[in-house]
Amino acid sequence: MGRQVLLFVWLLGLGSVTGQVSYSVSEEMSKGSLVGNIAQDLGLDVKRLQSGKARIHTGDSAEYIELSKERGLLLIKERIDREALCGQKTPCALHFQIALENPIEIFQVTVEITDINDNAPVFQKPERNFEISESAVIGSKFMLEKATDSDIGLNGLQRYTLNPSDNFILKLRSQTDGSKKVEMILQKPLDREKHEHISLVLTAEDGGEPQMSGTMQIHITVLDANDNAPVFNKPVYKASITENSLKGTLITTVSASDADKGVNGEVTYVIGDSMDADSKLFLITEDGRLILNGPVDYEKAKTYEIDIEAVDRGGLSDSSKVIIDIGDINDNSPVINMISSSNSVREDLIANTVIAVMSVNDPDSEENGKTHCDINNNLPFTITSASSNFYRIVSEGELDRERSSQYNITVTCSDEGVPSLSSSVTLTLQISDVNDNAPVFERSSYEAYIVENNTPGLSIFTVKAGDADWNQNARVSYILEDSSVNGVPVSSYVSVSADSGVIHAVRSLDYEQIKDFKFCVKAQDGGSPPLSSNVSVKVKIQDQNDNPPQVLYPVQTGGSLVAEIVPRSADVSYLVTKVVAVDVDSGQNAWLSYKLQKATDRALFEVGLQNGEIRTIRQVTDKDAVKQRLTVIVEDNGQPSRSATVIVNVAVADSFPEVLSEFTDFTHDKEYNDNMTFYLVLALAVVSFLFITCLVVIVSVKIYRWRQARFYHSNLPVIPYYPPRYSDTLGTGTLQHVYNYDTCRTTDSRKSDFKFSGPGTQNILIMDPSGTGTMQRIQSEKSILDEPDSPLEVRILSL
Ligand SMILES: *[C@@H]1O[C@H](CO)[C@@H](O)[C@H](O)[C@H]1NC(C)=O
């Protein structure tokens, strides 16, 4: 460091102050550095300094300078800092005196201290923080701290620089006190979103040589301004929920971002109030969760559009939209509406008749809304789909009220959802009756039995017919069909009660006259037209044991005496004769047995129980009486049994005269024979008379017809006429003709039951019920048909 010495020497007069010197030294000189050669400058000898005990007098101030008496120099005693000594005062000088004694001399010394650039500009604080809103306007000023530099002049603070200078520039403004204000001025807007922190360096420089500088860090925190609106991350949100979702179901989460910071970036969400009623269905939380708040029904609304807004605290907002599709679930059963239906149809309904038409609706969508309908099985109806959602029930098969008079047609419609929902309706269809069933008799034919000799009006039995139809169509009446039995209208035998079907005998029947007869009963219903059916009824007359056996042989005569002759030489078991009897009854009632009731000698004869043969049971001896009289009883097997007795006269003799002599004295028979003779004669007379009368009538009729035929030239067939060959008398005295051929029929009902047996039959017995106690007997040796001309023997027996 150069030493500048300014030497001012004032030669002072002799007195107290004799001289004055000035020096100039720079500050910060090291100790011992030369300030000036004071001895020389004062023109004093060194010895004088020593002798004069030269010393420096500073008063109170510190001694920075010392005096070297030996060398006569002023030296730096202590390091001098100009800034400490004078601050910013200029010039800066040390003033002291050098005092000598012997004589006293005082010298003024001034040492000016000159500045060196030993101080850099200094900021009070190494850094400074600013918080500046990004919304700060251009030109905004921010006061900076000044730097200080203790040095003065050029060594003092000269200028400031700010780096980087993108957003800010520096402006120095002089102040009245000469100092300068340092300001930082915003020249370009801040954007927190780009640079939130900015660091600047303020440098203060002095003008010393070498130049020194000081710096300060400036930290700028760009404060956020609400300069960004929230922005939804999607323009439209789509979401879907199924209908009937529970309240509180999260539908979707929306999100908006806000580039701002802090509260300016805090976004809350609200539902726009565009929707009125629907807006209550949804709510959105502040954090953007859209939540279902009420019932949603696909059938009411399939989509919802909700306007949502995102709002930051600064009130900036964005809007978006949420489109919510409501998914259908199968929550609706099909609804069946019966449009038209019949309650009742006739059973003769033709197939394919529409019974009912209905519509079916299911408000659900897709499969959930597709319906199909069925009816219960096994019905003669089908359900067909007329067009979409329309169904009709059509009759399919034939209906039959008698099988089923009522149908419950249950229509079940199901949708195709999973699980499927269904609903059903039941249609009750009555089938009305048509007269399509004839009455049906309980049996295909009837056979009834009636015991002969019934009382007229007796109910024989009941025919019954059912009719499957209903009501009037099923009301059965019974009608006796016209027919004739043996030429007599059947109505004279039986009658049918129209209501009850009870068959009554009209008359008393005689088995011996008619054994059975057939007729038809018609059952007719009350339909229109009526239907009917017939049944044949066979009435069998059952025999009663009302006829006793009739003995045909031996013939019981009144007067004449007939006897069987047994030779005395006859062997044991000699067939004497055979009692022949018949019984007009039948079966058991005609099963005859023969017993010996009385006999002259019981030990001699026996009667075959079955065949009526009278045989000897021992050798005839001479002792046996010629005249043997046997009483044979013929019994039938009826209950009770009836019987007849016959007396058989047997003559045990070898010659006819012997027999005669024996039999003439049958005195006890005389009276009987007389009676017989009388009746016989009477009968013969009557018969002869009737015969002649009859002959006359027949001849007259014949002649009349012949004349008629001639008169009209008629070729009518001539009824053959057979003259009577024999005749019977009846108890009533009427003369009867019996013609000997099988087709014998007369208009007389009493004769209509005559019947001739086939060839080989020996005996035919004819019983006339009106002739009580009278019997007609026709006896022929051969078949009547074989030999129509052969005479018949007719006898009349009175019982
Ligand atoms: C039809 O339904 C009615 C009422 O439920 C019932 O009384 C009737 O017996 C049913 N008919 C048939 C044929 O099932």
Side-chain angles (χ1 to χ4, degrees):
M1 179 179 290
R3 187 185 45 162
Q4 288 177 330
V5 179
L6 295 172
L7 185 62
F8 300 102
V9 179
W10 286 278
L11 288 178
L12 303 171
L14 288 169
S16 54
V17 177
T18 57
Q20 184 174 0
V21 284
S22 294
Y23 296 98
S24 178
V25 290
S26 59
E27 59 174 333
E28 307 287 345
M29 297 266 291
S30 57
K31 193 177 174 182
S33 297
L34 179 68
V35 177
N37 192 339
I38 189 74
Q40 187 185 345
D41 293 341
L42 288 178
L44 295 174
D45 189 10
V46 177
K47 286 174 184 149
R48 168 68 188 133
L49 295 177
Q50 289 171 346
S51 63
K53 295 180 184 173
R55 52 181 177 95
I56 288 174
H57 176 77
T58 61
D60 297 332
S61 48
E63 290 184 17
Y64 295 101
I65 307 287
E66 68 176 347
L67 177 65
S68 170
K69 285 179 273 191
E70 293 88 16
R71 289 159 59 195
L73 299 174
L74 283 176
L75 298 174
I76 299 295
K77 185 186 177 184
E78 229 167 275
R79 194 185 63 86
I80 303 167
D81 183 4
R82 193 202 67 82
E83 287 75 29
L85 198 64
C86 299
Q88 292 293 307
K89 202 170 71 188
T90 52
C92 179
L94 295 172
H95 300 278
F96 58 91
Q97 290 90 33
I98 294 175
L100 293 174
E101 295 173 6
N102 300 326
I104 296 170
E105 285 175 304
I106 306 257
F107 299 94
Q108 286 282 350
V109 180
T110 302
V111 178
E112 187 188 6
I113 309 300
T114 60
D115 186 42
I116 64 166
N117 195 19
D118 60 342
N119 287 287
V122 172
F123 290 97
Q124 211 84 53
K125 294 175 191 163
E127 55 184 18
R128 171 84 192 264
N129 291 320
F130 282 99
E131 290 188 339
I132 304 172
S133 166
E134 60 177 325
S135 63
V137 294
I138 290 173
S140 299
K141 294 174 194 161
F142 302 92
M143 191 69 79
L144 298 180
E145 199 185 327
K146 286 182 285 187
T148 55
D149 193 329
S150 308
D151 292 330
I152 54 169
L154 272 180
N155 291 334
L157 182 65
Q158 295 301 309
R159 61 178 175 274
Y160 292 95
T161 56
L162 187 63
N163 267 312
S165 56
D166 296 339
N167 295 91
F168 295 94
I169 54 166
L170 274 182
K171 188 167 180 189
L172 302 180
R173 200 180 312 175
S174 296
Q175 289 190 293
T176 49
D177 65 348
S179 66
K180 301 223 168 120
K181 243 170 90 177
V182 184
E183 285 175 340
M184 187 171 70
I185 295 174
L186 183 67
Q187 64 162 4
K188 190 177 155 204
L190 295 171
D191 186 353
R192 188 200 64 80
E193 288 70 38
K194 276 187 197 147
H195 304 288
E196 189 174 356
H197 297 284
I198 300 172
S199 284
L200 299 172
V201 178
L202 179 66
T203 307
E205 289 175 343
D206 62 17
E209 191 68 38
Q211 193 182 49
M212 298 186 79
S213 63
T215 59
M216 183 171 72
Q217 294 286 330
I218 298 173
H219 298 292
I220 297 172
T221 302
V222 182
L223 293 182
D224 186 53
N226 191 24
D227 55 348
N228 287 283
V231 177
F232 275 106
N233 52 14
K234 284 182 192 171
V236 173
Y237 292 88
K238 290 195 170 170
S240 60
I241 52 167
T242 54
E243 60 175 329
N244 303 343
S245 289
L246 291 177
K247 188 173 170 177
T249 302
L250 174 67
I251 298 168
T252 187
T253 302
V254 297
S255 171
S257 55
D258 192 309
D260 292 328
K261 213 189 155 199
V263 291
N264 292 332
E266 278 177 17
V267 180
T268 54
Y269 302 89
V270 288
I271 291 181
D273 42 22
S274 57
M275 301 182 305
D276 26 44
D278 292 344
S279 60
K280 296 210 173 65
L281 282 178
F282 306 97
L283 56 84
I284 195 161
T285 60
E286 287 198 345
D287 57 351
R289 291 184 302 129
L290 186 65
I291 285 171
L292 184 64
N293 194 37
V296 282
D297 187 353
Y298 173 86
E299 286 71 39
K300 283 189 190 146
K302 293 176 177 52
T303 59
Y304 290 94
E305 289 194 8
I306 305 172
D307 290 323
I308 50 171
E309 277 180 37
V311 186
D312 65 18
R313 289 286 155 92
L316 297 179
S317 65
D318 187 20
S319 65
S320 181
K321 189 173 270 193
V322 183
I323 298 176
I324 303 166
D325 287 325
I326 307 300
D328 185 42
I329 60 169
N330 194 18
D331 59 347
N332 287 282
S333 305
V335 177
I336 306 172
N337 282 310
M338 201 58 83
I339 295 172
S340 168
S341 64
S342 312
N343 290 329
S344 170
V345 293
R346 284 165 60 92
E347 59 177 319
D348 59 356
L349 187 76
I350 56 166
N352 286 325
T353 305
V354 177
I355 308 280
V357 178
M358 71 205 76
S359 71
V360 180
N361 288 305
D362 190 324
D364 291 324
S365 71
E366 306 280 313
E367 304 297 303
N368 293 340
K370 276 189 195 157
T371 56
H372 63 271
C373 296
D374 276 319
I375 57 172
N376 36 342
N377 286 333
N378 306 323
L379 294 184
F381 304 99
T382 49
I383 187 161
T384 57
S385 177
S387 61
S388 71
N389 295 340
F390 282 92
Y391 290 87
R392 58 187 185 195
I393 298 174
V394 172
S395 67
E396 192 182 36
E398 288 187 358
L399 301 178
D400 186 0
R401 190 203 64 83
E402 287 69 43
R403 218 171 45 223
S404 182
S405 66
Q406 188 192 47
Y407 289 99
N408 288 334
I409 306 170
T410 301
V411 182
T412 304
C413 295
S414 326
D415 59 30
E416 291 174 13
V418 178
S420 166
L421 293 176
S422 65
S423 52
S424 59
V425 294
T426 297
L427 181 75
T428 299
L429 186 67
Q430 304 288 347
I431 309 300
S432 63
D433 188 42
V434 169
N435 190 23
D436 56 352
N437 286 282
V440 176
F441 281 100
E442 284 171 350
R443 298 165 65 175
S444 58
S445 66
Y446 288 91
E447 209 170 76
Y449 297 89
I450 180 169
V451 179
E452 60 175 334
N453 304 322
N454 59 289
T455 55
L458 181 76
S459 75
I460 304 174
F461 77 112
T462 305
V463 292
K464 186 137 186 64
D467 192 305
D469 289 324
W470 185 72
N471 211 2
Q472 193 65 22
N473 291 338
R475 185 166 297 162
V476 179
S477 341
Y478 302 92
I479 300 158
L480 183 63
E481 289 278 81
D482 254 355
S483 64
S484 65
V485 174
N486 295 339
V488 180
V490 72
S491 57
S492 64
Y493 281 86
V494 287
S495 69
V496 176
S497 162
D499 288 342
S500 62
V502 176
I503 294 177
H504 296 273
V506 171
R507 62 160 80 170
S508 179
L509 297 165
D510 183 3
Y511 175 83
E512 283 71 36
Q513 220 176 29
I514 180 164
K515 293 193 170 39
D516 56 46
F517 59 96
K518 275 185 166 180
F519 57 92
C520 280
V521 175
K522 179 163 90 174
Q524 179 172 296
D525 63 27
S528 173
L531 296 173
S532 65
S533 58
N534 286 342
V535 73
S536 81
V537 180
K538 185 173 188 178
V539 174
K540 284 189 170 172
I541 295 130
Q542 284 182 325
D543 187 39
Q544 259 188 339
N545 195 20
D546 56 347
N547 291 287
Q550 302 298 316
V551 179
L552 303 183
Y553 187 86
V555 179
Q556 300 293 293
T557 60
S560 65
L561 198 62
V562 179
E564 308 293 336
I565 297 169
V566 177
R568 287 192 184 271
S569 60
D571 263 349
V572 176
S573 202
Y574 175 81
L575 177 62
V576 180
T577 186
K578 179 177 164 125
V579 176
V580 177
V582 293
D583 192 310
V584 291
D585 291 324
S586 65
Q588 295 275 318
N589 295 337
W591 187 10
L592 299 181
S593 58
Y594 304 84
K595 283 177 199 148
L596 194 57
Q597 197 182 36
K598 274 199 300 192
T600 314
D601 185 353
R602 275 196 166 270
L604 188 54
F605 301 106
E606 62 168 10
V607 177
L609 184 67
Q610 307 295 334
N611 52 21
E613 285 176 356
I614 300 174
R615 291 177 184 271
T616 57
I617 50 176
R618 63 168 170 80
Q619 191 75 47
V620 181
T621 62
D622 293 341
K623 288 176 194 155
D624 289 326
V626 173
K627 196 170 72 178
Q628 296 282 341
R629 186 182 165 102
L630 309 174
T631 306
V632 176
I633 183 163
V634 184
E635 283 182 337
D636 62 24
N637 204 29
Q639 285 294 338
S641 78
R642 289 177 172 245
S643 62
T645 52
V646 63
I647 294 164
V648 181
N649 292 314
V650 179
V652 183
D654 286 330
S655 62
F656 191 65
E658 187 184 358
V659 175
L660 269 182
S661 65
E662 278 299 322
F663 278 83
T664 43
D665 59 341
F666 267 48
T667 50
H668 57 277
D669 285 339
K670 203 73 178 167
E671 197 180 344
Y672 170 77
N673 286 344
D674 284 349
N675 281 342
M676 282 298 283
T677 309
F678 168 74
Y679 288 126
L680 203 57
V681 170
L682 186 67
L684 270 172
V686 171
V687 166
S688 302
F689 170 74
L690 287 174
F691 177 71
I692 290 160
T693 312
C694 203
L695 211 59
V696 169
V697 168
I698 288 169
V699 167
S700 310
V701 169
K702 202 71 180 149
I703 289 166
Y704 172 75
R705 286 201 177 172
W706 175 75
R707 286 187 61 187
Q708 286 276 55
R710 289 285 295 249
F711 183 76
Y712 292 111
H713 303 283
S714 165
N715 55 356
L716 287 167
V718 176
I719 298 166
Y721 173 66
Y722 293 90
R725 290 184 186 273
Y726 39 83
S727 63
D728 284 334
T729 56
L730 301 172
T732 54
T734 311
L735 187 66
Q736 303 284 328
H737 299 275
V738 178
Y739 301 104
N740 47 356
Y741 49 94
D742 197 25
T743 53
C744 169
R745 290 287 189 271
T746 72
T747 52
D748 188 335
S749 66
R750 292 181 298 175
K751 306 292 283 182
S752 61
D753 291 327
F754 280 24
K755 204 166 197 178
F756 287 80
S757 301
T761 303
Q762 297 294 310
N763 297 298
I764 296 158
L765 202 72
I766 300 159
M767 178 76 181
D768 190 330
S770 59
T772 47
T774 311
M775 196 172 96
Q776 298 164 356
R777 184 165 57 96
I778 300 168
Q779 192 172 33
S780 66
E781 295 302 314
K782 294 180 180 177
S783 166
I784 296 164
L785 291 174
D786 287 349
E787 283 183 63
D789 287 332
S790 67
L792 288 176
E793 185 186 17
V794 178
R795 300 206 182 173
I796 299 161
L797 296 172
S798 273
L799 297 174

